[in-house]
Amino acid sequence: MARRALQEAGFDDVIEATNGEEALASLREGHFDLVISDLNMDPVDGLALLTAIRADSALMAMPFILMTGKLEDEDAKLAEDQGVNETMLKPFDPETVREKIERVLGPAA
């Protein structure tokens, strides 16, 4: 769903990871401009991924958008405390994706 919305919003260079552990390994191996992560993943969820990114000196400035079907107050507070840049509630459309990304990265050229 997220990949399709990203593509429809004009973002084609997307790398997928099945969980936060895989995403963190990919981030450490390559160059990325943004992380969009689901909150609910196993074994490493989106909040744990965000915490790991913020604790890694090479990745700590990485822009991060957290998506979820329902954002509980406690999770929202934890995400805010860890420095999430934006949250995005599912379901979302390509325009919402574009707006969130532009808030984090600035308008597309």
Side-chain angles (χ1 to χ4, degrees):
M1 175 179 82
R3 177 184 270 284
R4 184 175 11 161
L6 284 162
Q7 288 174 331
E8 289 176 16
F11 300 96
D12 295 320
D13 192 12
V14 177
I15 304 296
E16 289 183 71
T18 57
N19 61 58
E21 189 173 77
E22 185 180 314
L24 191 56
S26 292
L27 288 166
R28 288 179 172 152
E29 292 174 4
H31 173 75
F32 298 90
D33 297 320
L34 171 69
V35 173
I36 299 176
S37 175
D38 199 322
L39 174 62
N40 299 309
M41 299 182 293
D42 285 320
V44 178
D45 69 15
L47 284 174
L49 174 61
L50 175 60
T51 300
I53 288 171
R54 295 299 184 244
D56 186 314
S57 62
L59 300 173
M60 65 179 21
M62 177 71 61
F64 196 105
I65 297 173
L66 185 67
M67 65 179 176
T68 183
K70 182 178 181 186
L71 189 60
E72 300 291 338
D73 289 342
E74 182 178 330
D75 290 336
K77 175 74 171 118
L78 287 170
E80 183 179 317
D81 289 347
Q82 289 300 321
V84 73
N85 297 91
E86 282 287 336
T87 56
M88 186 164 51
L89 294 176
K90 296 187 241 177
F92 45 80
D93 57 33
E95 187 56 34
T96 299
V97 172
R98 183 185 335 275
E99 287 172 8
K100 296 289 185 173
I101 291 173
E102 286 181 353
R103 282 187 201 159
V104 173
L105 298 179

Coordinates of all heavy atoms in Angstrom, one line a residue, residues 9 11 34 65 86 95-109:
A9 N 2.5 9.1 -6.1 CA 2.9 10.5 -5.7 C 4.2 10.9 -6.4 O 4.6 12.1 -6.3 CB 3.1 10.6 -4.2
F11 N 7.2 9.1 -6.4 CA 8.5 8.7 -5.8 C 8.7 7.2 -6.2 O 8.0 6.3 -5.8 CB 8.4 8.8 -4.3 CG 8.2 10.2 -3.8 CD1 6.9 10.6 -3.5 CD2 9.3 11.0 -3.7 CE1 6.7 11.9 -3.1 CE2 9.1 12.3 -3.3 CZ 7.8 12.8 -3.0
L34 N 15.2 9.3 3.4 CA 14.0 9.4 4.2 C 13.6 7.9 4.6 O 13.8 7.0 3.8 CB 12.9 10.0 3.4 CG 11.5 9.9 4.0 CD1 11.3 10.8 5.2 CD2 10.4 10.4 2.9
I65 N 9.2 9.3 8.9 CA 7.8 9.4 9.0 C 7.3 8.0 9.5 O 7.6 7.0 9.0 CB 7.2 9.7 7.6 CG1 7.7 11.0 7.1 CG2 5.7 9.6 7.6 CD1 7.3 11.4 5.6
E86 N 7.2 13.2 11.2 CA 5.8 13.3 10.9 C 5.2 11.9 11.2 O 5.9 10.9 11.2 CB 5.6 13.5 9.4 CG 5.8 14.9 8.9 CD 4.7 15.9 9.3 OE1 3.5 15.4 9.6 OE2 4.9 17.1 9.4
E95 N -1.6 12.0 -2.4 CA -1.5 13.4 -2.0 C -1.1 13.6 -0.6 O -0.2 14.5 -0.3 CB -2.8 14.2 -2.3 CG -2.7 15.7 -2.1 CD -1.6 16.3 -2.9 OE1 -1.4 15.9 -4.1 OE2 -1.0 17.3 -2.5
T96 N -1.6 12.8 0.3 CA -1.2 12.9 1.7 C 0.3 12.5 1.8 O 1.1 13.1 2.6 CB -2.0 11.9 2.6 OG1 -3.4 12.3 2.5 CG2 -1.6 11.9 4.0
V97 N 0.7 11.4 1.1 CA 2.1 11.0 1.1 C 3.0 12.2 0.7 O 4.0 12.5 1.3 CB 2.3 9.8 0.2 CG1 3.8 9.4 0.1 CG2 1.6 8.6 0.8
R98 N 2.6 12.8 -0.4 CA 3.4 13.9 -1.0 C 3.5 15.0 0.0 O 4.6 15.6 0.2 CB 2.8 14.4 -2.3 CG 3.7 15.5 -3.0 CD 3.1 16.1 -4.2 NE 2.1 15.3 -4.9 CZ 2.4 14.4 -5.9 NH1 3.7 14.2 -6.2 NH2 1.5 13.8 -6.5
E99 N 2.4 15.4 0.6 CA 2.4 16.5 1.6 C 3.3 16.2 2.8 O 4.0 17.1 3.2 CB 0.9 16.7 2.1 CG 0.0 17.4 1.1 CD -1.4 17.4 1.6 OE1 -1.7 17.1 2.7 OE2 -2.3 17.8 0.8
K100 N 3.2 15.0 3.3 CA 4.1 14.6 4.5 C 5.5 14.6 4.1 O 6.4 15.2 4.8 CB 3.7 13.2 5.0 CG 2.3 13.1 5.5 CD 2.2 13.8 6.9 CE 0.8 13.6 7.5 NZ 0.7 14.1 8.8
I101 N 5.9 14.1 2.9 CA 7.3 14.1 2.5 C 7.8 15.5 2.3 O 8.9 15.9 2.7 CB 7.4 13.2 1.2 CG1 7.2 11.8 1.6 CG2 8.8 13.5 0.6 CD1 7.2 10.8 0.4
E102 N 6.9 16.4 1.7 CA 7.3 17.8 1.4 C 7.5 18.5 2.8 O 8.4 19.4 2.9 CB 6.3 18.5 0.5 CG 6.5 18.0 -0.9 CD 5.6 18.7 -1.9 OE1 4.7 19.5 -1.4 OE2 5.7 18.5 -3.1
R103 N 6.7 18.2 3.8 CA 6.9 18.8 5.1 C 8.2 18.5 5.7 O 8.9 19.3 6.4 CB 5.8 18.4 6.1 CG 4.5 19.1 5.8 CD 3.5 18.7 6.9 NE 2.2 18.9 6.5 CZ 1.1 18.4 7.0 NH1 1.2 17.5 8.0 NH2 -0.1 18.7 6.5
V104 N 8.7 17.2 5.4 CA 10.0 16.8 6.0 C 11.2 17.2 5.1 O 12.2 17.6 5.6 CB 9.9 15.2 6.1 CG1 11.2 14.7 6.6 CG2 8.8 14.8 7.1
L105 N 11.0 17.0 3.8 CA 12.2 17.2 2.9 C 12.1 18.6 2.2 O 13.1 19.0 1.5 CB 12.3 16.1 1.9 CG 12.5 14.7 2.4 CD1 12.6 13.7 1.3 CD2 13.8 14.6 3.3
G106 N 11.0 19.2 2.1 CA 10.8 20.4 1.3 C 10.1 20.0 0.0 O 10.0 18.9 -0.4
P107 N 9.7 21.0 -0.7 CA 9.0 20.8 -2.0 C 9.9 20.1 -3.0 O 11.1 20.3 -3.1 CB 8.6 22.1 -2.5 CG 8.7 23.0 -1.4 CD 9.7 22.4 -0.4
A108 N 9.3 19.2 -3.8 CA 10.1 18.5 -4.9 C 10.5 19.5 -5.9 O 9.8 20.4 -6.2 CB 9.2 17.4 -5.5
A109 N 11.6 19.2 -6.5 CA 12.1 20.2 -7.5 C 11.4 19.9 -8.8 O 10.9 19.0 -9.1 CB 13.6 19.9 -7.7

